[in-house]
């Protein structure tokens, strides 16, 4: 099993909340694309957080954390963290995703913990 956390644009969160569609995030066409600058910013932050770029393909950029059992897929519409079950892995993935929201451009979605992170 794994623990999944997603990061989307703030615009995606607003659209999802207005839609009332419980399956909104399942349709990639509903997700507001990141700008090229945002993709680069997220890529740089992942690397600064000790994620190693493993591959780049049509699906996006796949990273693996150097120490924890966490992988991350960065696409043009979302950043998807997958942590192996374990308190430390889940905590680290969740903290990284939360910290990536500090600019206000991105929002954390944690389906196992009730959805959008609210402060």
């Amino acid at each position: 099993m794994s623990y999944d956390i997603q990061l989307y644009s703030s615009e995606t969160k607003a659209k999802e909340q207005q839609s009332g569609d419980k399956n909104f995030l399942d349709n990639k066409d509903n997700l507001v694309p990141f700008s090229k600058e945002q993709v680069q910013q997220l890529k740089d932050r992942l690397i600064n957080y000790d994620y190693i770029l493993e591959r780049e393909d049509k699906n996006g950029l796949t990273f693996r954390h150097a120490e924890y059992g966490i992988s991350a897929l960065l696409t043009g519409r979302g950043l998807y963290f997958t942590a192996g079950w374990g308190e430390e892995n889940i905590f680290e993935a969740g903290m990284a995703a939360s910290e990536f929201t500090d600019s206000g451009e991105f929002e954390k979605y944690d389906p196992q913990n009730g959805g959008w992170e609210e402060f």
Side-chain angles (χ1 to χ4, degrees):
M1 281 185 93
S2 63
Y3 194 95
D4 300 312
I5 300 170
Q6 295 105 36
L7 201 71
Y8 298 108
S9 70
S10 296
E11 295 86 359
T12 294
K13 178 182 177 182
K15 282 180 59 177
E16 188 271 341
Q17 290 181 324
Q18 292 172 354
S19 77
D21 179 0
K22 67 178 184 159
N23 297 316
F24 181 89
L25 298 174
D26 294 338
N27 182 348
K28 77 170 190 138
D29 293 332
N30 290 335
L31 309 178
V32 176
F34 294 143
S35 69
K36 288 183 183 182
E37 293 81 15
Q38 288 174 320
V39 170
Q40 187 61 49
Q41 175 189 0
L42 291 169
K43 178 181 175 183
D44 292 344
R45 286 194 82 171
L46 285 165
I47 290 168
N48 287 336
Y49 276 64
D50 295 328
Y51 284 81
I52 299 164
L53 179 60
E54 289 191 317
R55 77 176 174 273
E56 183 173 352
D57 58 29
K58 66 180 176 126
N59 296 318
L61 305 172
T62 302
F63 294 84
R64 177 184 49 79
H65 193 276
E67 182 178 349
Y68 301 103
I70 306 168
S71 63
L73 174 64
L74 175 58
T75 72
R77 298 174 186 265
L79 173 57
Y80 306 91
F81 291 93
T82 301
W85 278 105
E87 190 173 317
E88 195 170 22
N89 298 341
I90 293 167
F91 175 79
E92 290 298 328
M95 282 301 298
S98 292
E99 290 173 7
F100 286 19
T101 67
D102 61 357
S103 70
E105 297 176 76
F106 309 108
E107 299 289 338
K108 175 183 171 185
Y109 187 82
D110 183 344
Q112 292 96 176
N113 199 21
W116 297 108
E117 181 175 71
E118 300 291 339
F119 295 102

